[in-house]
Amino acid sequence: MHATMTLWIIFAVAGLTVLNRVTGSPAETITPDDANTSAHPNRVLETVEGEENIWKPTVVVVVEEAEEEVMETGELNPSHYPAQRAAKVVQHYINTRHGSPYKVFGLQRVFRANAEDVANSGRKYQLELSVQEMVHNMTVACAAEVLFPGGEATEHSPQVQVSSCDGLLKINASAQEEALYQKYKMNQSLSTENLPDSNGHMEPDHEPFWHLGMVASSFVMLSESTQSTLYNMAQVENATQQATENDQLKIDYHVLLHDIVSQEIIPWRLVVTWSPLEGVKVQKMEKSPNCRHCNKPKP
Ligand SMILES: *[C@@H]1O[C@H](CO)[C@@H](O)[C@H](O)[C@H]1NC(C)=O
Ligand SMILES: *[C@@H]1O[C@H](CO)[C@@H](O)[C@H](O)[C@H]1NC(C)=O
Ligand SMILES: *[C@@H]1O[C@H](CO)[C@@H](O)[C@H](O)[C@H]1NC(C)=O
Ligand SMILES: *[C@@H]1O[C@H](CO)[C@@H](O)[C@H](O)[C@H]1NC(C)=O
Ligand SMILES: *[C@@H]1O[C@H](CO)[C@@H](O)[C@H](O)[C@H]1NC(C)=O
């Protein structure tokens, strides 16, 4: 076993939590484990049942264990951070493969997690987890592997392999997708901001574009994730449809991503195309240079 040097760092910061019971999106609150700080307190991602469409600041307390370059190996506690961070990457991966304006997946639970060092290539997590499709409120259980590249490749994106996801293909949103597509293909009129707004509201017409913004953000979050990040999309700042000559809808998004671990709010611009046939594609992703929303807490 490794001798680990453990530091306890406590961040208490105002975070953003979306509670949305209509679409069943998981809202995440991180709470300290007051009862037993001898166990790893860096855990707990619980789904909060809340009022409809609430967008409000909440106090998020993250208790993070910082170890000296030594990560836990073997069977992991499924509710602790290392397992949750790896599982979150699987959520983003599933969104990039299966997401649409009517299909968006959130991490629901981790049942089992195992981590091992793989010689010369990094660290591999084997996971059993469930994701929830928020629009139809359907739960899907999946088995997946996530490899975080190591050595000189640590800057590279994690590699994900999903070996099974029971019921994923049964979620059929094709009628809703086709109706949305026809509407906005004929009339390229989408232009909106603040999904949701500071009161948690959003016009029902705009909800599919909020979902599409989440799915597109998962492309960024998948590629930016490491073993020490935990990303969520906080808000669509604005979304503007652009005219296209081809069969795709094209939307220019400005989104705010939230890394729960560092407490950074990171703005990105995404140019996204979508059609029921071609699915979601991110044509352009760029981190916005002016980080006026970044609210890193002072130590
Ligand atoms: C989603 O489904 C679960 C279990 O099937 C149920 O308990 C829950 O109330 C549902 N949520 C919504 C918002 O419909
Ligand atoms: C605290 O956690 C440790 C390690 O998981 C466990 O062995 C111990 O029984 C726990 N103590 C209490 C009071 O829950
Ligand atoms: C999805 O539902 C539509 C009708 O809304 C049907 O035509 C189509 O075959 C279904 N697709 C799958 C894969 O079940
Ligand atoms: C196009 O959409 C705009 C805004 O939603 C609406 O005001 C306008 O009437 C629509 N035009 C047509 C031809 O449907
Ligand atoms: C969208 O938000 C970004 C960042 O705040 C801003 O730079 C851009 O001008 C906005 N676009 C529109 C169309 O409002």
Side-chain angles (χ1 to χ4, degrees), residues 181 184-192 209 212 238-254 269-274 281-284 286:
Y181 175 73
Y184 286 91
K185 190 66 202 156
M186 301 300 287
N187 185 357
Q188 302 180 339
S189 61
L190 176 78
S191 175
T192 181
F209 295 101
L212 181 59
N238 56 48
T240 310
Q241 189 172 11
Q242 297 178 340
T244 52
E245 299 303 317
N246 61 25
D247 290 340
Q248 308 296 303
L249 302 188
K250 185 175 184 183
I251 297 162
D252 192 338
Y253 276 98
H254 283 84
R269 177 180 172 221
L270 308 174
V271 178
V272 181
T273 63
W274 172 75
K281 297 204 174 96
V282 179
Q283 308 288 349
K284 185 188 258 186
E286 57 191 25

Side-chain angles (χ1 to χ4, degrees), residues 100 174 177-178 181 247-249 274-281:
S100 84
S174 49
E177 289 172 6
E178 193 58 33
Y181 175 73
D247 290 340
Q248 308 296 303
L249 302 188
W274 172 75
S275 72
L277 206 59
E278 301 278 322
V280 179
K281 297 204 174 96

Side-chain angles (χ1 to χ4, degrees), residues 50 58 100 114 138 150 154 157 161 172 179 228 241 256 263 294:
T58 54
S100 84
N114 185 286
M138 283 176 73
T154 43
S157 306
Q161 280 190 323
N172 185 351
S228 31
Q241 189 172 11
L256 299 177
Q263 281 302 326
C294 294

